[in-house]
Amino acid sequence: MKVPGFSEVSGVCTHPDAQGQGYGSALFRFVSSLIVNRGEIPFLHAYANNKVAIQLYRKLGFETRCAMVVQCVRRLA
């Protein structure tokens, strides 16, 4: 997702066998620095009930900016 002046950091994942070793945080910080160097602000999104992700994002220095209502739609087969 991208809006003027902002770029989303998305899809940064760590395999369960490698979690807790700092790889995801390092990649996340690298990608965020590229966004900042372009003069933009990095942002994330998470479902409100995804407490693990929100806790990690806060640990990385992010804070909640706003709550949004999202509607998921799919095509019936």
Side-chain angles (χ1 to χ4, degrees):
M1 192 178 330
K2 187 162 175 33
V3 294
F6 297 84
S7 283
E8 179 183 19
V9 178
S10 180
V12 177
C13 304
T14 303
H15 188 278
D17 293 344
Q19 288 178 349
Q21 299 179 40
Y23 299 129
S25 294
L27 178 58
F28 185 87
R29 291 179 197 283
F30 175 73
V31 171
S32 294
S33 73
L34 295 176
I35 293 169
V36 169
N37 288 340
R38 288 197 312 250
E40 298 176 334
I41 298 169
F43 73 95
L44 307 148
H45 71 271
Y47 288 109
N49 65 350
N50 191 344
K51 304 297 184 194
V52 173
I54 293 168
Q55 182 180 13
L56 174 62
Y57 297 161
R58 286 191 175 136
K59 182 178 174 184
L60 292 168
F62 286 81
E63 59 186 54
T64 301
R65 184 180 185 101
C66 69
M68 299 173 65
V69 176
V70 178
Q71 180 68 43
C72 296
V73 180
R74 68 179 174 98
R75 181 173 18 160
L76 297 175

